[in-house]
Amino acid sequence: MDHFSPETIYMRMALREAQQAAAEGEVPCGAVIVLNDEVIGKAHNQTETLNDPTAHAEILAITQATQAVGNWRLNGAVMYVTKEPCPMCAGALVLARIQKVVWGMTDPIRGGAISKFNILNDADLNHAVEVETGVMELDCKRVMQVFFQNRRQEAKDRKRAEREQTE
């Protein structure tokens, strides 16, 4: 894939959002929404920061995008996101009429788009979303893996410190 292709440029933006989420202690997922070659929304997970289970990168980016265009329908828009959307976010993509979603890493355990659930192309829904997967997949996986390795190490360090205090 070309380093200057739109997929790579916008996925890099989504990765920067994911890295910001990780720096804030959030699960590192970032999303960018583009319409007519213009970024109209970008966000990262903020569920912990906002104490809101719906504050996923995709939802926050959709909110920004709809405000930017003044319409809840995002016809023709493309979302770039570092991880396959969960069922909630996949449903929001359908409702917002996003044309296409491009993601880096697939989530076979919780994926709502095509892996675990196939919400984006469910025949019973009134809109289908085009899908492109695997864009900068290794980079997206690495951000997620490093985040959870750090979380596990922090938990071990806390347990060790607690043991040392009781000795």
Side-chain angles (χ1 to χ4, degrees):
M1 184 167 298
D2 181 350
H3 289 295
F4 300 107
S5 70
E7 289 82 11
T8 303
I9 291 167
Y10 296 127
M11 190 59 76
R12 278 195 192 116
M13 292 176 84
L15 272 164
R16 283 194 295 276
E17 288 292 323
Q19 290 162 340
Q20 179 65 35
E24 295 172 7
E26 300 279 357
V27 172
C29 184
V32 173
I33 300 177
V34 178
L35 180 63
N36 301 323
D37 297 320
E38 180 184 343
V39 174
I40 58 172
K42 66 178 182 171
H44 56 274
N45 278 0
Q46 295 187 56
T47 55
E48 299 294 336
T49 303
L50 299 176
N51 198 29
D52 179 353
T54 68
H56 289 196
E58 298 94 326
I59 301 294
L60 298 173
I62 288 170
T63 299
Q64 283 183 15
T66 58
Q67 291 172 354
V69 300
N71 192 328
W72 63 268
R73 292 175 191 89
L74 296 174
N75 295 320
V78 178
M79 176 181 282
Y80 298 85
V81 61
T82 55
K83 184 183 89 50
E84 178 181 0
C86 73
M88 173 185 68
C89 293
L93 289 164
V94 170
L95 292 173
R97 312 298 196 269
I98 295 277
Q99 177 181 327
K100 180 178 181 179
V101 62
V102 178
W103 69 75
M105 65 177 277
T106 297
D107 185 351
I109 297 170
R110 293 175 204 83
I114 62 171
S115 295
K116 181 76 171 174
F117 303 98
N118 191 8
I119 294 169
L120 296 183
N121 289 292
D122 187 307
D124 291 330
L125 299 176
N126 63 348
H127 177 74
V129 180
E130 296 171 37
V131 171
E132 183 177 344
T133 67
V135 174
M136 298 183 67
E137 180 177 14
L138 294 177
D139 297 289
C140 294
K141 280 183 177 179
R142 190 170 339 167
V143 170
M144 195 69 70
Q145 288 169 341
V146 167
F147 176 79
F148 282 107
Q149 286 170 352
N150 290 341
R151 292 291 284 267
R152 286 190 293 276
Q153 186 60 50
E154 290 166 6
K156 286 179 185 177
D157 292 345
R158 268 193 309 278
K159 285 181 182 179
R160 185 179 308 115
E162 290 169 4
R163 273 195 317 270
E164 290 171 359
Q165 285 180 346
T166 59
E167 293 175 354

